[in-house]
Amino acid sequence: MITTNARTKDLEDVGLLLHSILRYAEANAERLDRSIISIGYSTLLSNADQAACWLAELHVDTGPDWDGCVWLERLEEISEGSLAQMLYAEDVDVESAVIRWLSRR
């Protein structure tokens, strides 16, 4: 979505989501009870990949004001309630997390 402005997942979407998840973990390391290593890089990468697929399928943002830059800004967020926060887990229902996150936007 970021590089193509299309309703398809691309590697930039996955990479940005993974980077955001890792930034979220680093920014909140002192208060989180799980480390990146304990959750697993492959788990977090899988969460990012699944989320990018669900985002491409479920989002309804279209029109002249929408482009990949909007997604770049939204997906890089690491604040409370961000998608990165929701995906920083070992056992997350990714589809539900994406639906909750999209409904807040």
Side-chain angles (χ1 to χ4, degrees):
M1 294 181 312
I2 293 171
T3 58
T4 62
N5 290 341
R7 295 185 63 94
T8 57
K9 170 191 84 166
D10 61 44
L11 289 178
E12 291 297 319
D13 302 331
V14 177
L16 179 59
L17 275 170
L18 179 61
H19 183 69
S20 297
I21 293 167
L22 299 176
R23 284 181 38 239
Y24 170 80
E26 290 173 2
N28 295 284
E30 289 185 18
R31 68 172 191 80
L32 296 173
D33 63 345
R34 303 278 321 260
S35 70
I36 294 170
I37 293 172
S38 70
I39 293 174
Y41 285 98
S42 62
T43 298
L44 297 175
L45 177 58
S46 176
N47 290 354
D49 184 67
Q50 290 177 54
C53 287
W54 285 116
L55 282 167
E57 183 176 327
L58 297 173
H59 81 83
V60 294
D61 298 325
T62 57
D65 295 330
W66 180 87
D67 66 17
C69 292
V70 173
W71 283 113
L72 183 98
E73 291 173 8
R74 291 177 67 187
L75 297 181
E76 73 180 356
E77 292 177 9
I78 61 169
S79 60
E80 187 73 25
S82 67
L83 187 55
Q85 178 190 26
M86 293 180 191
L87 297 175
Y88 186 73
E90 187 172 4
D91 223 2
V92 62
D93 180 344
V94 177
E95 180 184 11
S96 295
V98 168
I99 290 169
R100 277 193 322 274
W101 183 76
L102 285 172
S103 71
R104 295 180 187 170
R105 301 283 160 216

